[in-house]
Amino acid sequence: MKSYVIFLFFLFVFSARLAAQHILPVTILPSAQTGSPGVMSLNGTWKFMMLPSLQSVIPDEWIKSEFNDLNWNEIHVPGNWEPQGFKQPEYGHDLTACMGLYRTRFSIPSNWEKQRVVLRFDGVHMGYECWVNGQFAGNYGSGSNPCNFDITPFLQTGNNTLCVKVTTRSFAWKFDTMDNWTFCGINRDVTLFTLPHQYIEDITFISENCMDNEADIQVRVQTQGNIDKAILRLSVQDENGQKISDFEQTVSENGTCEIKKHLTNIRLWTAETPVLYILEACLCNTKGNILHRISRRVGLREVKSVGREITLNGKPIRLRGVCASEVHPYLGSAYTMEEWQKQLLQMKKAHINFIRTAHYPMHPAFYDLCDEMGFYVCNEIPLASRGGEYLIDSKYNKEIEERTATTIARDKNHPSVIIWSLGNENKTVAGSVATLVKEIDPTRLRGFPQTIGVMMKMMENPHPDINVLMGHYLNEKQLDIVAQKATLPFLQTEYAHSLGLGFGEFEQKWERILDTPGFAGGAIWCWMDGAAVTKAPKYSWLKGIMLDSLHYLDSYGYINPPGALERNKEANDGIIYAEGTPQEDYWLVRKLYSPVQIMEDTLQYPLQLTIQNNYDFRTLKGYSLHWSLQNLNRQVASGSISLEASPKAKERFEIPSNLPSNILYNDVMLCVSVVDEKGTSIYERALPVNLGMKEYKHVILSAIPDKQMTVTVTGKGDLVIKDKRNDNVLMQSPFYLRVGREFSQVLESRTSSNMFCWEPYILKPEIKFYKVYNTAEGRETKLNCQWNRVDSIGQYINGEVTILVHNNGVIAIDYILTASPKARGKLTECGLTLMMSPQINTFHWLGQGIYSSVPGKTKHNERGIWSLHKDDYRFSGNRSHVELSLLSSSDETGIIVWDELGNIGVDKMHGNIILSQNVHVAGYGSKFINPCQMLPLQDLHGQKGRILLLPRSKNTLQHSAAKIFYKDATLPLRVPERPFLKGYSW
């Protein structure tokens, strides 16, 4: 009861402070959907004027109904200025002080004339003032919070005019800026609705003791209006209209009503079972006439911090999360229900069950969808760190209190909201905010998302009113300390930063979360790249996506504009691109976040599998395992098995299949997929079956000669492969050396103080020695190559390269690499590299795929037969465990490749495919860590590599080892996937 009284007190304080502006509590919502009687949307095309300065002259009469706005521009509401071309996008708090003027007209239905009329703005960035028919209706300044204005006194019969002035300088505007693009304008819905003179002002729904299909509920209601002995009738129904319970109570003299009830035979809400009920409240007079009716969807669930665990309905839960923002290249921050529905569906498919709203409350529809689809939400109060100075200035106290209370008031009845996040990375921790939140809503978790130093101090002496510890980007040693000393559940509200395509920490960090008691989960930074569309190549492609030759998805500049406050920033840190295409990082998240896991990596006969059910609440009943035993492209057996594992339990079973006969190349895989009750595959694996040594090397070495192909090594040290049949050149390439990777955002971040990598990363050799020998096996060429660092004299890598062209046409290349004594730096990739001719356009391989694979980032890939066109956006990168590969042209000539080490790097140079046999591969790293397993140049001494090439003409290719890449006697013709002209790299 104490929290209820305190919340009413805050409503009273804010209402009193804003009474002169006719502001009503945000808990007052329309009784029905837009378009129903009593509800009118003002969304649509408005008149608009953009003014470049806060000092710009505004005509006094602009707020009057008769003002002529015919020459004004038109703007769509809701919508931002930047995507509609009225203002250049700006980043963070590098925000020009300017303003925009809006005008629109509306007519009030005749049956509204005897009712109160409320004007609701769901969100405006940044601050705004509004006038109705020339009369001031009020102002507001929290960009992501809603506001209700009672405009009844200002309305007139017939046409009415609404005028709004929006500025980029609200009272506490920096709270609404962050490390992303800042979009301005009326970015959420604008609605008119009627309110009877006696009405329900607020409903608070609480469920407790939720266990075993039972729950205690409390419903607290605040009414307004002079009602003598009013009655409140409440009912709880399921979504089919079946009544679960109903009750009524007389409203007290102060307009309040509190009802408690024990419910049985109900279904509890979880993210795995998002069951919702409809709570209907009717305010009635003594004759039983309904004065006001509202309904809300609610869920029956109870979240707690118990010891070092976060529990829901009495059971510990694991949060598989991402941080998400409302930043879109075409919508700006004016998200719609349709856009959120699309993105949340993408999250569901990736097994994400937890979303941190970074760093403000989202569009109202987001929470309705999370309730319905099943997501846990950490809802962030809009006190972002760029406004941290306000936390220590007492004149902002009321603003902070209002933002806090308004956020809770709007979203308190959503079952999906399980945590209140109290700002973001504020160096000054406002303990009073935690106290206020606990007083208003003690039923949820509360915490301060913090950088490492502040969080570690907080862990030693936690504020008494927080009940979850939140930290960002801890390393392994720091995680060890938290594991030993924390007394509260630990939630990594930002982890595994996904800068570019790096994402090099995720596999390790997620495994650590799973293995450590007290670690409740984490939220990857972040869900989607933040980008604005720019129309000129102002910035480097390094931090943007080239849509076409003139348009970029710009995630902030490669350079730092003069005088910029936001320096060395970037918003290319999502696991999907800004226009919605999943990155390879998305598929890694989907694989590791899957609540169903297969524990084996390889198999042997008899084929036995272990299934781990990591769901917190649901069994696997209704799920099935579909399996196929494959000999390369040939299916030799298949079947399905029903699954039943209990939550957080394993089940083990045997695949009923004997070893088939006539196995080509001794190569068998068990391909499996877990299929849910809707028939959707949610998890896939391809597990090699150990039958002994495979035969690919032997098949190549014993190949029948192809008399159409010629191979020479020129005196300049070029390897030339030609098809005599049509004089086509498949390859004419020096023996390049790869000493790294394409420069990327991760490298830019990690090399700002120590340029450890060599540029360029593909080096052409200087030939120091050349000699040809005839041997019994074939023609042998010996080269001594020196690959020089371009920006430093005396730093080079020496290579002894031997090329043996066997009598049957097989090309065996052996090499030994040694760095010079003065060579310095570190290698991310290193290996002999060959460039194909333009006609070679497709890379096929048997190995891990389809995405790149490096140490620390491998589990999104599975063994299989893959192929990619060189123009595919997924093409570049190292592929691991490659047992055989093929470079082919459209006319089905090609070069078969066998690699001793299994690491094949593919890339493009001058538009042509380059192929590297990598003797060393490092990880990708991330914004906060260097790539793992980099090779210091001092340690490059005597590294050996070996690669076999077998050129084949069209007539012989299909009858060689390359036949494993054929389907129905045809080599698949890959059409490149190109959602954009050029993307960024890792």
Side-chain angles (χ1 to χ4, degrees):
M1 189 65 185
K2 177 184 175 184
S3 62
Y4 184 46
V5 172
I6 291 172
F7 183 62
L8 292 177
F9 168 74
F10 277 106
L11 285 178
F12 171 78
V13 169
F14 297 140
S15 298
R17 183 160 70 90
L18 300 170
Q21 300 183 43
H22 304 273
I23 288 182
L24 298 173
V26 298
T27 52
I28 301 173
L29 294 170
S31 299
Q33 298 294 320
T34 300
S36 303
V39 185
M40 179 192 301
S41 172
L42 294 186
N43 295 348
T45 301
W46 294 30
K47 288 293 187 175
F48 180 73
M49 175 180 284
M50 187 76 211
L51 298 173
S53 167
L54 298 182
Q55 285 73 45
S56 298
V57 177
I58 305 174
D60 293 337
E61 62 274 16
W62 84 276
I63 61 173
K64 297 181 179 179
S65 299
E66 61 271 19
F67 179 76
N68 186 352
D69 57 18
L70 288 177
N71 293 327
W72 283 29
N73 293 303
E74 292 186 340
I75 191 170
H76 186 76
V77 173
N80 295 113
W81 303 339
E82 296 82 359
Q84 299 187 66
F86 294 106
K87 177 182 170 295
Q88 284 296 314
E90 293 178 289
Y91 199 90
H93 64 307
D94 276 328
L95 187 62
T96 301
C98 57
M99 58 182 167
L101 307 180
Y102 293 78
R103 287 173 54 88
T104 191
R105 293 176 175 85
F106 60 91
S107 296
I108 294 296
S110 58
N111 60 353
W112 285 26
E113 292 180 359
K114 294 184 179 181
Q115 301 184 73
R116 300 176 76 177
V117 177
V118 179
L119 169 65
R120 183 181 180 90
F121 291 89
D122 275 321
V124 180
H125 274 69
M126 300 291 193
Y128 61 102
E129 302 170 82
C130 57
W131 294 262
V132 176
N133 297 324
Q135 299 181 73
F136 181 68
N139 68 300
Y140 196 65
S142 179
S144 299
N145 289 132
C147 191
N148 286 336
F149 299 93
D150 184 353
I151 62 170
T152 311
F154 314 129
L155 296 174
Q156 59 192 26
T157 302
N159 287 330
N160 292 266
T161 302
L162 171 62
C163 300
V164 184
K165 179 173 75 173
V166 179
T167 81
T168 60
R169 290 297 186 273
S170 60
F171 178 61
W173 66 278
K174 288 183 183 178
F175 273 149
D176 292 322
T177 64
M178 52 219 65
D179 187 359
N180 214 321
W181 295 102
T182 300
F183 295 108
C184 304
I186 303 174
N187 63 316
R188 291 182 182 165
D189 297 325
V190 185
T191 308
L192 292 175
F193 61 92
T194 59
L195 199 63
H197 294 289
Q198 296 85 28
Y199 61 92
I200 298 170
E201 181 181 79
D202 181 34
I203 291 183
T204 302
F205 178 85
I206 297 171
S207 52
E208 296 178 313
N209 302 317
C210 299
M211 294 182 71
D212 301 325
N213 298 325
E214 296 187 17
D216 294 324
I217 65 170
Q218 298 179 50
V219 184
R220 300 167 179 171
V221 180
Q222 176 66 46
T223 66
Q224 292 292 343
N226 296 320
I227 313 170
D228 184 26
K229 297 181 180 179
I231 297 171
L232 186 73
R233 292 175 180 168
L234 292 173
S235 69
V236 179
Q237 306 170 18
D238 65 23
E239 292 204 291
N240 296 319
Q242 181 71 37
K243 189 172 291 185
I244 306 301
S245 183
D246 59 351
F247 27 88
E248 65 178 53
Q249 186 172 312
T250 302
V251 177
S252 67
E253 292 183 0
N254 63 5
T256 64
C257 184
E258 182 172 359
I259 296 174
K260 297 182 179 181
K261 191 81 171 180
H262 180 72
L263 302 182
T264 59
N265 298 318
I266 47 90
R267 297 178 64 194
L268 300 179
W269 187 96
T270 75
E272 297 165 18
T273 56
V275 177
L276 295 173
Y277 291 90
I278 298 171
L279 174 70
E280 184 177 83
C282 295
L283 183 63
C284 305
N285 60 21
T286 53
K287 296 180 181 180
N289 297 323
I290 297 176
L291 305 172
H292 192 206
R293 184 204 311 262
I294 62 174
S295 64
R296 300 286 181 266
R297 293 198 304 177
V298 296
L300 300 168
R301 65 101 184 97
E302 181 180 29
V303 62
K304 285 186 175 182
S305 172
V306 180
R308 295 188 60 192
E309 293 181 325
I310 295 175
T311 66
L312 189 81
N313 305 333
K315 296 181 179 180
I317 58 174
R318 184 79 69 187
L319 302 177
R320 309 185 298 271
V322 290
C323 295
S325 305
E326 290 182 325
V327 175
H328 192 281
Y330 305 115
L331 298 174
S333 59
Y335 268 49
T336 62
M337 171 178 268
E338 292 74 21
E339 179 60 30
W340 266 126
Q341 197 164 32
K342 181 180 77 172
Q343 291 193 30
L344 290 172
L345 183 59
Q346 278 184 295
M347 291 186 195
K348 265 296 180 190
K349 290 179 178 178
H351 309 301
I352 292 161
N353 70 353
F354 172 62
I355 303 168
R356 175 185 174 222
T357 67
H359 301 289
Y360 42 82
M362 303 294 198
H363 188 291
F366 167 84
Y367 301 89
D368 293 332
L369 290 167
C370 288
D371 293 345
E372 176 185 319
M373 298 173 69
F375 288 94
Y376 303 118
V377 175
C378 174
N379 205 21
E380 197 142 292
I381 294 167
L383 305 173
S385 60
R386 280 161 176 73
E389 64 202 64
Y390 304 148
L391 294 173
I392 56 175
D393 189 336
S394 60
K395 70 182 179 185
Y396 292 95
N397 286 355
K398 291 294 183 183
E399 175 80 16
I400 293 166
E401 291 169 359
E402 184 174 343
R403 284 172 176 253
T404 302
T406 301
T407 300
I408 297 173
R410 192 195 74 168
D411 298 331
K412 63 184 176 179
N413 291 326
H414 287 284
S416 57
V417 177
I418 64 170
I419 304 173
W420 299 118
S421 171
L422 315 182
N424 174 63
E425 294 186 351
N426 291 305
K427 294 180 180 179
T428 302
V429 176
S432 59
V433 176
T435 302
L436 173 60
V437 171
K438 183 180 179 181
E439 289 174 339
I440 297 175
D441 180 13
T443 69
R444 288 177 170 88
L445 307 186
R446 304 164 297 280
F448 293 102
Q450 280 299 350
T451 54
I452 296 168
V454 178
M455 193 223 73
M456 298 300 266
K457 292 179 181 177
M458 186 178 296
M459 178 186 66
E460 298 285 350
N461 185 25
H463 189 279
D465 292 326
I466 69 167
N467 51 11
V468 61
L469 192 63
M470 298 176 172
H472 296 173
Y473 310 116
L474 281 72
N475 62 32
E476 287 301 306
K477 291 183 179 179
Q478 291 157 344
L479 290 173
D480 288 341
I481 295 172
V482 174
Q484 295 167 10
K485 294 186 177 182
T487 57
L488 296 173
F490 175 55
L491 178 61
Q492 296 186 61
T493 35
E494 290 180 26
Y495 84 113
H497 196 288
S498 183
L499 177 62
L501 299 179
F503 209 41
E505 293 184 277
F506 175 59
E507 288 186 9
Q508 179 187 17
K509 296 300 186 194
W510 180 243
E511 184 176 353
R512 181 65 190 267
I513 288 172
L514 293 177
D515 290 344
T516 308
F519 286 16
I524 295 163
W525 187 271
C526 63
W527 165 241
M528 186 170 80
D529 285 352
V533 177
T534 59
K535 295 184 178 180
K538 182 177 179 181
Y539 302 125
S540 164
W541 59 266
L542 186 68
K543 293 187 178 179
I545 297 292
M546 293 175 64
L547 294 172
D548 53 44
S549 60
L550 294 177
H551 296 86
Y552 284 69
L553 291 182
D554 188 348
S555 292
Y556 199 47
Y558 179 48
I559 59 172
N560 291 311
L565 298 172
E566 301 286 355
R567 305 182 69 80
N568 301 313
K569 301 294 183 183
E570 70 289 305
N572 274 343
D573 41 21
I575 62 173
I576 66 172
Y577 293 106
E579 40 68 75
T581 301
Q583 300 173 5
E584 63 179 49
D585 301 345
Y586 171 91
W587 301 107
L588 180 59
V589 170
R590 179 182 180 272
K591 183 60 68 69
L592 294 189
Y593 271 3
S594 172
V596 183
Q597 296 282 330
I598 292 174
M599 308 308 292
E600 290 79 11
D601 291 320
T602 60
L603 299 173
Q604 59 186 16
Y605 274 91
L607 305 179
Q608 294 184 327
L609 288 180
T610 306
I611 298 287
Q612 172 71 50
N613 177 9
N614 286 328
Y615 279 118
D616 295 316
F617 297 96
R618 67 155 299 161
T619 72
L620 295 186
K621 288 182 179 179
Y623 282 41
S624 58
L625 181 96
H626 293 213
W627 60 269
S628 171
L629 197 63
Q630 297 282 140
N631 174 210
L632 300 169
N633 277 326
R634 181 172 67 100
Q635 179 179 293
V636 295
S638 64
S640 64
I641 298 172
S642 297
L643 302 178
E644 296 186 349
S646 299
K648 300 182 180 179
K650 296 177 182 178
E651 62 179 311
R652 186 170 174 81
F653 47 83
E654 184 173 315
I655 301 294
S657 175
N658 297 319
L659 178 64
S661 58
N662 302 319
I663 296 298
L664 182 65
Y665 300 145
N666 215 28
D667 195 321
V668 175
M669 291 185 296
L670 181 70
C671 299
V672 298
S673 65
V674 176
V675 177
D676 67 14
E677 60 268 87
K678 297 178 182 178
T680 302
S681 178
I682 66 166
Y683 179 76
E684 304 81 27
R685 294 293 307 275
L687 305 171
V689 179
N690 185 8
L691 300 178
M693 185 68 69
K694 297 182 177 64
E695 304 169 356
Y696 299 113
K697 177 183 177 182
H698 171 73
V699 171
I700 290 179
L701 287 173
S702 60
I704 298 172
D706 185 337
K707 296 180 180 180
Q708 299 295 329
M709 309 303 293
T710 64
V711 180
T712 56
V713 180
T714 70
K716 294 181 179 180
D718 288 357
L719 177 62
V720 181
I721 302 175
K722 184 181 291 188
D723 185 347
K724 290 190 299 184
R725 179 178 48 122
N726 49 23
D727 213 32
N728 277 342
V729 176
L730 278 67
M731 178 195 301
Q732 183 169 353
S733 174
F735 288 92
Y736 294 101
L737 186 68
R738 176 186 287 273
V739 292
R741 302 184 181 119
E742 186 175 24
F743 198 68
S744 68
Q745 295 173 75
V746 172
L747 278 181
E748 182 204 40
S749 174
R750 302 311 305 164
T751 60
S752 58
S753 59
N754 176 20
M755 189 63 182
F756 54 74
C757 55
W758 287 19
E759 286 290 331
Y761 66 97
I762 301 293
L763 300 179
K764 188 174 182 179
E766 180 182 343
I767 304 300
K768 297 293 187 178
F769 177 82
Y770 168 88
K771 193 166 184 178
V772 180
Y773 306 87
N774 290 315
T775 71
E777 294 177 290
R779 188 176 178 88
E780 183 178 85
T781 304
K782 288 188 177 292
L783 300 176
N784 181 272
C785 300
Q786 181 173 303
W787 297 277
N788 298 303
R789 183 170 183 172
V790 172
D791 58 356
S792 181
I793 297 174
Q795 296 194 46
Y796 59 86
I797 296 172
N798 181 266
E800 300 291 337
V801 183
T802 301
I803 308 101
L804 174 60
V805 181
H806 286 260
N807 296 323
N808 64 350
V810 174
I811 308 164
I813 304 171
D814 292 272
Y815 61 98
I816 303 174
L817 302 176
T818 299
S820 66
K822 293 183 179 180
R824 294 294 181 269
K826 296 179 180 180
L827 303 178
T828 52
E829 288 183 24
C830 181
L832 206 64
T833 299
L834 297 168
M835 183 166 66
M836 307 299 123
S837 66
Q839 71 189 46
I840 300 294
N841 56 29
T842 304
F843 175 56
H844 315 256
W845 74 103
L846 169 62
Q848 295 291 311
I850 193 171
Y851 302 99
S852 69
S853 181
V854 299
K857 189 178 179 183
T858 62
K859 294 184 179 179
H860 52 324
N861 289 311
E862 293 293 336
R863 187 176 188 268
I865 295 174
W866 309 98
S867 60
L868 283 174
H869 190 279
K870 65 180 180 179
D871 292 330
D872 195 288
Y873 78 105
R874 302 161 295 180
F875 180 75
S876 296
N878 182 75
R879 269 48 178 206
S880 66
H881 298 89
V882 177
E883 297 174 65
L884 194 70
S885 58
L886 168 68
L887 296 151
S888 70
S889 64
S890 298
D891 66 356
E892 295 192 10
T893 58
I895 302 171
I896 303 168
V897 181
W898 177 85
D899 163 39
E900 184 176 56
L901 302 175
N903 282 313
I904 293 289
V906 290
D907 212 333
K908 287 198 301 183
M909 186 166 67
H910 312 308
N912 298 340
I913 293 177
I914 57 173
L915 179 140
S916 303
Q917 192 251 0
N918 283 323
V919 297
H920 186 84
V921 180
Y924 281 151
S926 72
K927 183 174 182 177
F928 299 109
I929 63 165
N930 284 334
C932 64
Q933 300 182 30
M934 288 192 294
L935 178 66
L937 264 296
Q938 300 96 310
D939 295 341
L940 182 65
H941 185 79
Q943 268 78 357
K944 296 179 180 180
R946 188 163 204 256
I947 188 170
L948 301 180
L949 308 179
L950 179 60
R952 297 279 93 171
S953 62
K954 180 176 181 178
N955 294 332
T956 59
L957 186 62
Q958 184 179 351
H959 304 290
S960 66
K963 64 185 177 183
I964 71 169
F965 301 114
Y966 281 72
K967 291 184 179 179
D968 301 323
T970 303
L971 195 63
L973 181 63
R974 294 293 302 192
V975 177
E977 291 189 28
R978 299 187 70 186
F980 32 73
L981 184 63
K982 181 177 176 60
Y984 52 78
S985 63
W986 64 284

